[in-house]
Amino acid sequence: MQMMIESYFNLHYYGYGMDEFGFDSSDEEMEEEDVKIVEPVKEEVVNREFPFDDEVFYINVKAPRVRVGWDNLPMEILIHIFTFIRPSDRNSAALTCRRWFEALRHPQFLNATCFHFERIEVCDSKSPIQIFLDSFRHFTNIKLTRVQFSGETAFWDYFGAYIREITFDNCALTKPKLCNIVGCLPNLERLNLIDCDELFKCWHPVEFQDMIHCKRLTHLGLRKCSAFNEDHLNYLIAMAPRISSLEISKCLKELDPNQRVHILSHILRILKIHKHQMKSVNFSYTMYDDLFLKQFAEIESMSLSNISLSFFARAPIKDPGIIDILRKHTHLVHLDLTSFLNLTDFALVEIADSMPLLKTLKLNGCWLLTDFGIGEIRKLHKLTILDLSDCDRITDEGFMKAIINKSRTKMRELHLSMLPGISEGMILKICLTLVNLTVVDFCGSNCVNDTSIQYMFSYLRMLRILRLNGCVKISDAGLTGINLDRPAIEIWNEQQTFSLDMLQGLQELQISGCSKVTDLALKTCFKLVELREINLSHCVDITVEGIEAMVLNCPSLEMMDLSDCHLLDDRAIDLISKHLIRLKELKLLRLPLLTAKSVYAILKNCKLLRNINLRGCHKLPRDTTTLLGRLKSLRNMPKY
């Protein structure tokens, strides 16, 4: 049998396309004209299924026959397939064969990988630096947390040319060490300093003679820092002549008002100097007043695409500074005003009227917003991410105007936690309208019950993250579709229900505090192969039987929270440690039945565990901290 594809492709599967002697029926024609072989007519098989389950098949495209399998796919196709799976899955796939490992080394994946070194000593003679010096891979993103720098090391000379982003988080860092490291990174694009007050306290005086210039550095981030002054800022900004992104978040909290005013004024001067190239600013949770916002809005010729602001001080009711900023920057794509306590409906009117390109809008904790302002969101046609959590004055009326009455096929994330004014009927309309949602957050919402989550299972099949913490009305009936008080869909005599396992792409599930969830749900519908993170804390009726069913049907779990599930014992932890080989984070707070057997099961089976919390487990031995210290993968050293 010969299968022709567009008259060019001959597809041969083992013996298909060959005669009984093993020769291809499409080989060269016989040269003897007087000899003719009449083959018997073979009946054509209708609707024959091609056996794709086998691992090997043959493709002949006007060329000699080539053996092709999953390990010999063209590299371009293999890389394209890898883009659809998560990093942890790519790492597992890379262990399959050499070719898949080579695909994982593609720059597209290497550049997206962050190597996090925590609580280590950077020294060539000590692990893990000693191991990394023998590596043939390059690293573009490095994060250092609580790291000690002792003596010279060849790490930065060896890998510095490849590093594009580096983050120092609470490291024992000095100015000479910072300059030495940055000087070895000629292609550095992003520099982040987190909780590095010790660096600034010992950095006196600030001398500019030995300055290192990073020609490609475009982003400077200062987080949780309060000890820097104007000279420190000048030095860091001078290192980045092409700076276009500035982050100063959660800073200046420990300064007195006069010092804070001087620093804020200097930040405005920096923005004025670099106004033509500045595209992104982040001043979230930094202490400033309305005068700072006014002066920020007065900077001419600066066109930002990303702005993140938080505001806690008093602001004038008439003509506040945030209105001037919104009127000025009309090309924003990302706007984060989380915890901007004085934001009013008039600000939302300005946002809707002047920002047609806006894709991300975060208004978490803006409690002054009402239905009037929320209704203006209907003008933002390109919106993909919307966060209205904790805006407790919003009701169905405002949300109906904002979202439901418009076509929102581009919407991907919706965060509506802690909204008492939203009803069950509104959730149905959300499910019918925003069918392409991948992230849904209804934490603490009274409107979420068994019927409303049935709507989610029915219509939101693209969900990847579902957060329902504190939705106490959810029970087994809603998750499984069994014994519902009323079905989700009822047409005449036809009734239809749905279950959680219909969301086969679900990767994160948060149902903390849903105390009506029992083993029945875990046995029936927790069959989610893609599930990576689950939070079942305070689900007090869960037992070992439910845990056993879940770990067998959800093998990809990496993060699990079972705090306050007081019926779980050592057997449950043994099942978790044996079957969840990818487990990286485990929270088991206040489980009174756990003993030393649980600790030894974790030591024996959890080879990838990074974080664990066993506080409140009173039957654990006193040397639990010492025992857990044997785990080489463990990043935090808990004390019990």
Side-chain angles (χ1 to χ4, degrees), residues 204-239:
H204 293 287
V206 179
E207 299 178 353
F208 294 83
Q209 290 81 3
D210 57 346
M211 181 181 298
I212 302 297
H213 294 279
C214 302
K215 297 181 180 180
R216 297 191 177 185
L217 187 60
T218 58
H219 171 82
L220 175 63
L222 298 177
R223 227 171 296 161
K224 299 180 182 180
C225 297
S226 298
F228 60 87
N229 56 33
E230 294 92 330
D231 291 334
H232 295 142
L233 281 177
N234 288 337
Y235 189 96
L236 294 173
I237 295 296
M239 289 173 54

Side-chain angles (χ1 to χ4, degrees), residues 352-467:
D353 290 339
S354 60
M355 300 180 186
L357 303 178
L358 197 64
K359 294 183 178 180
T360 301
L361 180 60
K362 297 183 179 181
L363 305 173
N364 190 333
C366 300
W367 61 278
L368 290 180
L369 298 179
T370 66
D371 291 339
F372 173 75
I374 295 300
E376 296 297 313
I377 295 178
R378 67 182 183 274
K379 301 177 183 178
L380 302 175
H381 303 291
K382 295 187 177 182
L383 204 61
T384 59
I385 300 175
L386 178 62
D387 187 354
L388 298 176
S389 299
D390 207 15
C391 300
D392 52 10
R393 298 188 181 186
I394 301 175
T395 65
D396 289 352
E397 180 181 357
F399 202 81
M400 190 75 177
K401 295 178 181 178
I403 301 296
I404 306 303
N405 287 339
K406 290 289 182 180
S407 177
R408 294 288 179 178
T409 57
K410 297 181 180 180
M411 185 76 75
R412 293 294 181 270
E413 297 186 20
L414 184 62
H415 303 265
L416 299 178
S417 62
M418 305 301 292
L419 296 183
I422 301 296
S423 66
E424 175 190 329
M426 183 54 59
I427 293 183
L428 173 59
K429 294 176 182 177
I430 290 173
C431 295
L432 291 172
T433 307
L434 311 178
V435 294
N436 293 325
L437 285 176
T438 59
V439 179
V440 168
D441 183 357
F442 284 110
C443 293
S445 297
N446 293 328
C447 61
V448 179
N449 52 32
D450 290 339
T451 305
S452 57
I453 62 172
Q454 284 281 300
Y455 298 148
M456 299 180 199
F457 300 158
S458 174
Y459 297 106
L460 304 182
R461 297 298 179 90
M462 300 293 291
L463 274 182
R464 297 294 179 267
I465 298 176
L466 180 59
R467 296 170 181 162

